[in-house]
Amino acid sequence: MIEAKNVWKIYGKGEAKTIALKNINLKIEEGEFVMIMGPSGCGKSTLLNILALLDTPTKGEVYYKGRRTSSMSENERAIFRRKISGFIFQQFHLIKTLTALENVELPMMLDERDKSYRRKRAKKLLEMVGLGDRLNHYPHQLSGGQQQRVAIARALANNPKIIFADEPTGNLDSKSGMAVMSILKGLNEKGITIIMVTHEQELTKYASKIIKLRDGEIVEIINK
Ligand SMILES: Nc1ncnc2c1ncn2[C@@H]1O[C@H](COP(=O)(O)OP(=O)(O)OP(=O)(O)O)[C@@H](O)[C@H]1O
């Protein structure tokens, strides 16, 4: 479904040049639970952002369902980011001035959906992640684990096929981290492809594929 062919990412020039990714080749099928792992600075987030079409490779190509993403229009890329995929960040990135419910409604705003549909769906998603009693709380009134669950509900708003997650448990204690992982596992069992970055070895039990990076190169791909 997603394929990277000879992908390189080079930041800067001359003395400041960093080769973040070196000739990455990989294939991710629909329904997989992929973990991108490796030491700090090895290129994990760079690779995730490129696969999520948030960034572009310096060289090489990313294909989505056989389609060369570099030949997509900006509008098609925006549709991929808004409707086909959802993104979860380590720092949650919720809008501070909006309630949990309003944060989840936000990605649905650009669609022709009426307010009552948006409200109903946001409520249902927040109930699904166990926050039915926190609908009108603002982010600062929620724990880190609860904020990340709001972020998951928000990522699901437009019914994505793929969830990209960059260290989604990185800011959480182990209990909240496990709650987040069990939600992601449940979504994967419903057919959503999960592609996440983590450095936590104990999370690999959830993965169907582990991509190990070192210094911008794939050193191992483990299919379980
Ligand atoms: N915007 C940028 N400009 C210049 N260099 C960058 C930029 N983003 C990342 N890099 C460099 O590219 C390399 C890979 O960074 P990346 O964030 O992908 O690594 P990572 O494996 O996700 O690291 P961490 O686990 O510490 O988050 C690093 O050497 C980093 O300093």
Side-chain angles (χ1 to χ4, degrees), residues 11-12 18 20 38-47 166-167 197:
Y11 293 110
T18 303
S40 179
C42 70
K44 302 182 293 297
S45 298
T46 301
L47 178 57
D166 196 348
E167 298 263 12
V197 163

PDB file of all heavy atoms in Angstrom, residues 11-12 18 20 38-47 166-167 197, ligand 1:
ATOM      1  N   TYR A  11      19.368  17.170   4.681  1.00  0.00           N
ATOM      2  CA  TYR A  11      19.077  18.516   5.196  1.00  0.00           C
ATOM      3  C   TYR A  11      20.326  19.378   5.032  1.00  0.00           C
ATOM      4  O   TYR A  11      21.444  18.922   5.280  1.00  0.00           O
ATOM      5  CB  TYR A  11      18.738  18.477   6.682  1.00  0.00           C
ATOM      6  CG  TYR A  11      17.445  17.781   7.039  1.00  0.00           C
ATOM      7  CD1 TYR A  11      17.457  16.553   7.696  1.00  0.00           C
ATOM      8  CD2 TYR A  11      16.214  18.371   6.767  1.00  0.00           C
ATOM      9  CE1 TYR A  11      16.269  15.923   8.063  1.00  0.00           C
ATOM     10  CE2 TYR A  11      15.024  17.746   7.133  1.00  0.00           C
ATOM     11  CZ  TYR A  11      15.063  16.524   7.772  1.00  0.00           C
ATOM     12  OH  TYR A  11      13.901  15.910   8.143  1.00  0.00           O
ATOM     13  N   GLY A  12      20.134  20.636   4.699  1.00  0.00           N
ATOM     14  CA  GLY A  12      21.233  21.601   4.668  1.00  0.00           C
ATOM     15  C   GLY A  12      22.250  21.331   3.575  1.00  0.00           C
ATOM     16  O   GLY A  12      22.081  20.442   2.734  1.00  0.00           O
ATOM     17  N   THR A  18      23.265  17.296   6.632  1.00  0.00           N
ATOM     18  CA  THR A  18      22.985  16.066   7.387  1.00  0.00           C
ATOM     19  C   THR A  18      22.267  15.101   6.464  1.00  0.00           C
ATOM     20  O   THR A  18      21.234  15.453   5.881  1.00  0.00           O
ATOM     21  CB  THR A  18      22.035  16.350   8.583  1.00  0.00           C
ATOM     22  OG1 THR A  18      22.632  17.338   9.394  1.00  0.00           O
ATOM     23  CG2 THR A  18      21.789  15.094   9.402  1.00  0.00           C
ATOM     24  N   ALA A  20      19.949  12.429   6.565  1.00  0.00           N
ATOM     25  CA  ALA A  20      19.039  11.840   7.562  1.00  0.00           C
ATOM     26  C   ALA A  20      18.547  10.462   7.125  1.00  0.00           C
ATOM     27  O   ALA A  20      18.317   9.596   7.969  1.00  0.00           O
ATOM     28  CB  ALA A  20      17.857  12.773   7.799  1.00  0.00           C
ATOM     29  N   GLY A  38      14.970   2.695  16.506  1.00  0.00           N
ATOM     30  CA  GLY A  38      16.401   2.961  16.348  1.00  0.00           C
ATOM     31  C   GLY A  38      16.828   4.074  17.276  1.00  0.00           C
ATOM     32  O   GLY A  38      15.975   4.761  17.866  1.00  0.00           O
ATOM     33  N   PRO A  39      18.136   4.286  17.413  1.00  0.00           N
ATOM     34  CA  PRO A  39      18.636   5.284  18.364  1.00  0.00           C
ATOM     35  C   PRO A  39      18.262   6.716  17.978  1.00  0.00           C
ATOM     36  O   PRO A  39      17.898   6.981  16.828  1.00  0.00           O
ATOM     37  CB  PRO A  39      20.152   5.092  18.334  1.00  0.00           C
ATOM     38  CG  PRO A  39      20.457   4.225  17.172  1.00  0.00           C
ATOM     39  CD  PRO A  39      19.205   3.549  16.733  1.00  0.00           C
ATOM     40  N   SER A  40      18.385   7.618  18.947  1.00  0.00           N
ATOM     41  CA  SER A  40      18.059   9.025  18.729  1.00  0.00           C
ATOM     42  C   SER A  40      18.848   9.577  17.539  1.00  0.00           C
ATOM     43  O   SER A  40      20.039   9.314  17.403  1.00  0.00           O
ATOM     44  CB  SER A  40      18.407   9.801  20.010  1.00  0.00           C
ATOM     45  OG  SER A  40      18.129  11.142  19.808  1.00  0.00           O
ATOM     46  N   GLY A  41      18.131  10.302  16.682  1.00  0.00           N
ATOM     47  CA  GLY A  41      18.790  10.950  15.542  1.00  0.00           C
ATOM     48  C   GLY A  41      19.017  10.054  14.337  1.00  0.00           C
ATOM     49  O   GLY A  41      19.646  10.468  13.366  1.00  0.00           O
ATOM     50  N   CYS A  42      18.482   8.817  14.365  1.00  0.00           N
ATOM     51  CA  CYS A  42      18.770   7.883  13.251  1.00  0.00           C
ATOM     52  C   CYS A  42      17.850   8.100  12.054  1.00  0.00           C
ATOM     53  O   CYS A  42      18.015   7.454  11.021  1.00  0.00           O
ATOM     54  CB  CYS A  42      18.684   6.430  13.718  1.00  0.00           C
ATOM     55  SG  CYS A  42      17.001   5.905  14.074  1.00  0.00           S
ATOM     56  N   GLY A  43      16.840   8.991  12.197  1.00  0.00           N
ATOM     57  CA  GLY A  43      15.990   9.311  11.049  1.00  0.00           C
ATOM     58  C   GLY A  43      14.553   8.816  11.146  1.00  0.00           C
ATOM     59  O   GLY A  43      13.800   8.888  10.174  1.00  0.00           O
ATOM     60  N   LYS A  44      14.147   8.358  12.314  1.00  0.00           N
ATOM     61  CA  LYS A  44      12.796   7.781  12.468  1.00  0.00           C
ATOM     62  C   LYS A  44      11.685   8.775  12.119  1.00  0.00           C
ATOM     63  O   LYS A  44      10.800   8.472  11.324  1.00  0.00           O
ATOM     64  CB  LYS A  44      12.582   7.296  13.928  1.00  0.00           C
ATOM     65  CG  LYS A  44      13.593   6.273  14.388  1.00  0.00           C
ATOM     66  CD  LYS A  44      13.301   5.796  15.794  1.00  0.00           C
ATOM     67  CE  LYS A  44      13.464   6.839  16.890  1.00  0.00           C
ATOM     68  NZ  LYS A  44      14.833   7.366  17.042  1.00  0.00           N
ATOM     69  N   SER A  45      11.749   9.970  12.745  1.00  0.00           N
ATOM     70  CA  SER A  45      10.679  10.956  12.499  1.00  0.00           C
ATOM     71  C   SER A  45      10.710  11.435  11.052  1.00  0.00           C
ATOM     72  O   SER A  45       9.656  11.650  10.441  1.00  0.00           O
ATOM     73  CB  SER A  45      10.831  12.168  13.425  1.00  0.00           C
ATOM     74  OG  SER A  45      10.716  11.761  14.751  1.00  0.00           O
ATOM     75  N   THR A  46      11.916  11.589  10.522  1.00  0.00           N
ATOM     76  CA  THR A  46      12.042  12.008   9.125  1.00  0.00           C
ATOM     77  C   THR A  46      11.348  10.997   8.215  1.00  0.00           C
ATOM     78  O   THR A  46      10.572  11.370   7.322  1.00  0.00           O
ATOM     79  CB  THR A  46      13.536  12.134   8.745  1.00  0.00           C
ATOM     80  OG1 THR A  46      14.143  13.088   9.619  1.00  0.00           O
ATOM     81  CG2 THR A  46      13.719  12.568   7.311  1.00  0.00           C
ATOM     82  N   LEU A  47      11.598   9.707   8.467  1.00  0.00           N
ATOM     83  CA  LEU A  47      10.972   8.672   7.636  1.00  0.00           C
ATOM     84  C   LEU A  47       9.451   8.689   7.812  1.00  0.00           C
ATOM     85  O   LEU A  47       8.704   8.630   6.825  1.00  0.00           O
ATOM     86  CB  LEU A  47      11.547   7.294   8.005  1.00  0.00           C
ATOM     87  CG  LEU A  47      10.959   6.103   7.248  1.00  0.00           C
ATOM     88  CD1 LEU A  47      11.123   6.263   5.730  1.00  0.00           C
ATOM     89  CD2 LEU A  47      11.604   4.779   7.700  1.00  0.00           C
ATOM     90  N   ASP A 166       4.013   9.477  16.067  1.00  0.00           N
ATOM     91  CA  ASP A 166       5.422   9.717  16.390  1.00  0.00           C
ATOM     92  C   ASP A 166       5.602   9.675  17.898  1.00  0.00           C
ATOM     93  O   ASP A 166       5.196  10.611  18.593  1.00  0.00           O
ATOM     94  CB  ASP A 166       5.869  11.067  15.813  1.00  0.00           C
ATOM     95  CG  ASP A 166       7.384  11.178  15.773  1.00  0.00           C
ATOM     96  OD1 ASP A 166       8.075  10.330  16.385  1.00  0.00           O
ATOM     97  OD2 ASP A 166       7.880  12.111  15.124  1.00  0.00           O
ATOM     98  N   GLU A 167       6.150   8.602  18.399  1.00  0.00           N
ATOM     99  CA  GLU A 167       6.354   8.401  19.843  1.00  0.00           C
ATOM    100  C   GLU A 167       5.081   8.714  20.633  1.00  0.00           C
ATOM    101  O   GLU A 167       5.108   9.550  21.551  1.00  0.00           O
ATOM    102  CB  GLU A 167       7.501   9.301  20.351  1.00  0.00           C
ATOM    103  CG  GLU A 167       8.838   9.009  19.710  1.00  0.00           C
ATOM    104  CD  GLU A 167       9.722   8.081  20.551  1.00  0.00           C
ATOM    105  OE1 GLU A 167       9.212   7.481  21.523  1.00  0.00           O
ATOM    106  OE2 GLU A 167      10.899   7.955  20.208  1.00  0.00           O
ATOM    107  N   VAL A 197       6.498   5.485  15.336  1.00  0.00           N
ATOM    108  CA  VAL A 197       7.888   5.574  15.766  1.00  0.00           C
ATOM    109  C   VAL A 197       7.920   5.334  17.266  1.00  0.00           C
ATOM    110  O   VAL A 197       7.088   5.872  17.999  1.00  0.00           O
ATOM    111  CB  VAL A 197       8.440   6.992  15.463  1.00  0.00           C
ATOM    112  CG1 VAL A 197       9.717   7.260  16.244  1.00  0.00           C
ATOM    113  CG2 VAL A 197       8.678   7.173  13.976  1.00  0.00           C
TER     114      VAL A 197
HETATM  115  N1  LIG B   1      14.694  20.247   9.790  1.00  0.00           N
HETATM  116  C1  LIG B   1      15.918  19.725   9.935  1.00  0.00           C
HETATM  117  N2  LIG B   1      17.009  20.417   9.550  1.00  0.00           N
HETATM  118  C2  LIG B   1      18.260  19.898   9.672  1.00  0.00           C
HETATM  119  N3  LIG B   1      18.514  18.679  10.197  1.00  0.00           N
HETATM  120  C3  LIG B   1      17.459  17.959  10.604  1.00  0.00           C
HETATM  121  C4  LIG B   1      16.104  18.434  10.515  1.00  0.00           C
HETATM  122  N4  LIG B   1      15.270  17.487  11.005  1.00  0.00           N
HETATM  123  C5  LIG B   1      16.055  16.473  11.398  1.00  0.00           C
HETATM  124  N5  LIG B   1      17.364  16.744  11.157  1.00  0.00           N
HETATM  125  C6  LIG B   1      18.519  15.852  11.421  1.00  0.00           C
HETATM  126  O1  LIG B   1      18.264  14.618  10.748  1.00  0.00           O
HETATM  127  C7  LIG B   1      18.649  13.523  11.552  1.00  0.00           C
HETATM  128  C8  LIG B   1      17.452  12.609  11.783  1.00  0.00           C
HETATM  129  O2  LIG B   1      16.499  13.300  12.594  1.00  0.00           O
HETATM  130  P1  LIG B   1      15.127  12.627  13.059  1.00  0.00           P
HETATM  131  O3  LIG B   1      14.374  13.627  13.864  1.00  0.00           O
HETATM  132  O4  LIG B   1      14.454  12.022  11.900  1.00  0.00           O
HETATM  133  O5  LIG B   1      15.676  11.442  14.012  1.00  0.00           O
HETATM  134  P2  LIG B   1      14.912  10.546  15.089  1.00  0.00           P
HETATM  135  O6  LIG B   1      15.444   9.164  14.917  1.00  0.00           O
HETATM  136  O7  LIG B   1      13.443  10.727  14.951  1.00  0.00           O
HETATM  137  O8  LIG B   1      15.436  11.176  16.456  1.00  0.00           O
HETATM  138  P3  LIG B   1      14.776  11.202  17.952  1.00  0.00           P
HETATM  139  O9  LIG B   1      14.593   9.764  18.363  1.00  0.00           O
HETATM  140  O10 LIG B   1      15.834  11.874  18.761  1.00  0.00           O
HETATM  141  O11 LIG B   1      13.505  11.974  17.855  1.00  0.00           O
HETATM  142  C9  LIG B   1      19.240  14.106  12.830  1.00  0.00           C
HETATM  143  O12 LIG B   1      20.631  14.146  12.701  1.00  0.00           O
HETATM  144  C10 LIG B   1      18.636  15.494  12.885  1.00  0.00           C
HETATM  145  O13 LIG B   1      19.507  16.382  13.565  1.00  0.00           O
END
